[in-house]
């Protein structure tokens, strides 16, 4: 029997779709771990990135530190955290949050710094406070990069949440680890397919969220930018502040 | 650019899957051992011109092959294996045989193909587990030591053979904490069967499908646990889960130092579910000389289960180096000259 036939049969077996070890429950566990970890990581990393980007101070240091964090293997973190905290969700949470923080901080900081200084000056000139500048100008302009960071993190978290099974928790990693232990190759591959499918679905879902939450002005200008060529791009909408052209 | 990436991701994934599918050998599938053995012995005989590899069963007829290079001693990935492999290596070196050590290779699913293909030449094994593996996951009928050794003698692929088994055994067993044993009055697996439905078991994932695990407990003892948690094979997860009460019954191996260290009670296998698991050297015939054979048999004869428990304890709990522990045993037993 070929492996692929085995995989098809694995998915077709009704026993794999119900109960504690069924696909729905494993997907639910996997999504739960990933969601909690991602939300916590966003809650930690987004404010840090925004403050650093807004003030422009300490950014290089923060990026270097958070890139250092990227270099630590999740596999090592989960074993260390297990030794300290024992069996439970905590080691998984620590591992996934540590994995998710660096891309969010880095992308948020870079996105904020990429805001045109002239735009920032203009907003200040209009009398905007720092908070208004952040909320009304910098964040909307930086949104695509911030969201890209979050997407990267969440997809990585979903792929890595398989490690939870390594310390006896649930999630889709169970199929991979149990299948390996039981020499059940179709189960290993089915588990891997499910993880990959979940990660891709999330990637597409978040991309849709990103488009939907993009500031209307930016959305239009990026559409215009895509469609238009040459001189048209330079033409600002009527009524908008027009920067003086240098001779 | 982004559009391209979103399309490219699934494409790359499919390509990877395709690549996995097209490679012939399925490393995890059962029963591929014979095929790969043939394939590799062909390769070898063509590249090194060794017709002897076809005549694997008769070791003495091909002693000269051992002089071709060092004997590579492998082991799987737990302390006892590291200690035993180190003993093999030290004894052979002591007798002037050139030895290369490849310890900690992984589980049987990894090391068995390695010894079949000749990547390693010598491996400490266990009668029951090896016979079951060779038999494609099913236990042979006769699971006594003699029965298993003769089964292995007849059924190992060409080019591989086992030597004399040691009296020392390392069997799969179920352990409970002293409190659980007192609470339910447990000393044997038959006692356990009475209360299985109130208890949570834990062990490696393969326990769910192996006969010495849950299927055998259900069939022989009529024991069905309320839940099974996949942990590890008598490792830190099992220790933590059993001591913290997350599981009630843990899978251990009878020579493990952690049993006594944690004051656990090993339940007696009163119905004989678990096959004999005597320590036995598995070796490639082409490296087996009379010297090598007698050295390893002498060690197997000297080794007892009590020795193994003590040696494992020194490595797992006192954190001693497996090689040092092996040396001190060999010196005490007078096997090193």
């Amino acid at each position: 029997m070929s492996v692929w036939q085995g995989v098809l049969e694995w998915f077709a077996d009704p026993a794999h779709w119900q109960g504690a070890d069924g696909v729905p429950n494993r997907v639910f566990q996997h999504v739960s771990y990933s969601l909690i970890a991602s939300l916590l990581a966003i809650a930690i990393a987004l404010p840090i990135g925004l403050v650093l980007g807004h003030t422009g101070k300490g950014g290089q240091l923060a990026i270097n530190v958070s890139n250092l964090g990227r270099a630590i293997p999740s596999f090592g973190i989960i074993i260390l955290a297990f030794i300290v905290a024992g069996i439970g969700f905590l080691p998984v949470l620590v591992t996934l949050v540590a994995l998710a923080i660096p891309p969010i901080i880095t992308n948020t900081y870079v996105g904020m710094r990429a805001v045109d200084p002239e735009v920032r000056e203009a907003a200040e000139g209009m009398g905007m406070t720092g908070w208004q500048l952040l909320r009304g100008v910098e964040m909307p302009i930086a949104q695509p990069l911030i969201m890209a960071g979050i997407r990267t993190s969440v997809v990585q978290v979903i792929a890595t949440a398989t490690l939870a099974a390594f310390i006896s928790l649930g999630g889709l990693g169970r199929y991979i680890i149990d299948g390996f232990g039981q020499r059940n190759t179709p189960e290993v591959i089915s588990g891997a397919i499910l993880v990959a499918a979940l990660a891709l679905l999330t990637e597409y879902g978040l991309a849709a969220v990103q488009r939907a939450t993009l500031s209307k002005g930016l959305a239009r200008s990026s559409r215009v930018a895509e469609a238009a060529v040459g001189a048209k791009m330079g033409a600002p909408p009527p009524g908008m502040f027009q920067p003086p052209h240098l001779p | 650019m982004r559009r391209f990436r979103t399309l490219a991701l699934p494409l790359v994934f499919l390509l990877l899957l395709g690549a996995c599918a097209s490679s012939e050998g399925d490393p995890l599938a059962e029963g591929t051992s014979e095929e790969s053995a043939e394939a590799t012995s062909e390769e070898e005989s063509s590249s090194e011109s060794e017709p002897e590899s076809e005549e694997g069963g008769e070791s003495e007829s091909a002693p000269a092959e051992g002089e071709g290079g060092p004997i590579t001693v492998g082991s799987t990935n737990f302390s006892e294996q590291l200690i035993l492999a180190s003993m093999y290596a030290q004894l052979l070196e002591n007798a002037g045989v050139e030895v290369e050590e490849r310890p900690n290779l992984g589980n049987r699913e990894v090391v068995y193909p390695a010894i079949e293909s000749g990547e390693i030449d010598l491996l400490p094994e266990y009668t029951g587990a090896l016979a079951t593996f060779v038999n494609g996951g099913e236990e042979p009928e006769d699971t006594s030591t003699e029965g298993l050794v003769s089964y292995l003698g007849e059924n190992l692929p060409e080019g591989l053979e086992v030597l004399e088994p040691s009296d020392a055994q390392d069997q799969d067993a179920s352990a409970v904490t002293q409190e659980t044993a007192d609470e339910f009055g447990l000393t044997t697996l038959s006692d356990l069967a009475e209360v299985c439905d109130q208890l949570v078991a834990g062990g490696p994932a393969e326990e769910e499908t192996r006969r010495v695990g849950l299927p055998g407990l259900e069939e022989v003892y009529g024991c069905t646990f309320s839940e099974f948690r996949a942990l590890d094979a008598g490792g830190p997860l099992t220790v933590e889960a059993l001591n913290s009460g997350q599981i009630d019954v843990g899978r251990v191996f009878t020579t493990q130092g952690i049993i006594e260290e944690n004051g656990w009670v090993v339940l007696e296998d009163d119905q004989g579910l678990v096959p004999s698991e005597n320590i036995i050297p598995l070796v490639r015939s082409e490296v087996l000389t009379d010297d090598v054979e007698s050295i390893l048999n002498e060690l197997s004869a000297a080794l007892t289960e009590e020795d193994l428990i003590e040696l494992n304890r020194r490595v797992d709990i006192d954190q001693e180096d497996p090689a040092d522990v092996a040396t001190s045993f060999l010196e005490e037993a007078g096997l090193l000259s």
Side-chain angles (χ1 to χ4, degrees), chain A residues 4 168 174 181-183 185 204, chain B residues 6 21 28 109 205-206 229-230:
Chain A
W4 293 112
S168 93
R174 276 264 63 94
Q182 297 167 1
R183 296 208 280 157
T185 310
Y204 292 140
Chain B
T6 49
L28 300 181
E109 283 76 0
E206 53 269 32
R229 284 193 71 173

Side-chain angles (χ1 to χ4, degrees), chain A:
Chain A
M1 186 185 70
S2 88
V3 175
W4 293 112
Q5 204 181 332
V7 171
L8 284 180
E9 278 167 18
W10 192 93
F11 277 108
D13 187 347
H16 292 141
W17 292 89
Q18 54 201 349
D21 196 36
V23 172
N25 185 47
R26 292 298 182 215
V27 169
F28 173 76
Q29 290 171 329
H30 203 96
V31 170
S32 306
Y33 303 156
S34 307
L35 191 67
I36 295 170
S38 300
L39 290 177
L40 186 59
I42 292 170
I44 295 169
L46 193 59
I48 295 177
L50 287 174
V51 167
L52 292 174
H54 181 68
T55 60
K57 283 173 193 154
Q60 279 311 317
L61 182 70
I63 285 181
N64 286 335
V65 169
S66 88
N67 277 340
L68 210 68
R70 272 171 152 165
I72 303 174
S74 300
F75 196 60
I77 299 181
I78 200 164
I79 289 174
L80 263 180
F82 163 75
I83 291 170
V84 173
I87 293 177
F89 181 53
L90 191 61
V92 178
L93 187 65
V94 169
T95 306
L96 295 181
V97 169
L99 175 77
I101 284 178
I104 303 178
I105 290 189
T106 311
N107 268 43
T108 306
Y109 174 78
V110 171
M112 294 284 286
R113 291 322 293 165
V115 174
D116 191 340
E118 285 185 17
V119 173
R120 202 176 273 134
E121 272 171 40
E124 278 165 358
M126 286 166 68
M128 280 190 175
T129 63
W131 180 247
Q132 285 172 326
L133 174 66
L134 178 71
R135 281 294 314 274
V137 179
E138 289 174 326
M139 272 179 71
I141 295 176
Q143 190 260 12
L145 268 174
I146 296 176
M147 277 302 293
I150 292 176
R151 269 164 63 186
T152 308
S153 284
V154 174
V155 170
Q156 279 182 359
V157 162
I158 286 180
T160 311
T162 41
L163 281 184
F166 186 73
I167 57 161
S168 93
L169 268 73
L172 293 170
R174 276 264 63 94
Y175 296 131
I176 298 175
I177 288 183
D178 294 355
F180 184 70
Q182 297 167 1
R183 296 208 280 157
N184 184 346
T185 310
E187 181 161 308
V188 174
I189 296 177
S190 303
I193 290 174
L194 285 167
V195 174
L198 191 60
L200 285 176
L201 271 178
T202 310
E203 165 80 10
Y204 292 140
L206 287 177
V209 170
Q210 180 177 350
R211 280 193 299 274
T213 56
L214 188 61
S215 157
K216 285 206 176 60
L218 284 166
R220 190 171 57 206
S221 72
S222 68
R223 264 205 307 280
V224 169
E226 271 172 31
V229 274
K232 254 190 161 179
M233 271 175 72
M240 194 171 166
F241 169 74
Q242 207 163 350
H245 284 279
L246 295 170

Side-chain angles (χ1 to χ4, degrees), chain B residues 321-332:
Chain B
D321 184 57
D324 295 345
V325 170
T327 312
S328 76
F329 170 81
L330 295 176
E331 279 171 353
E332 268 172 46

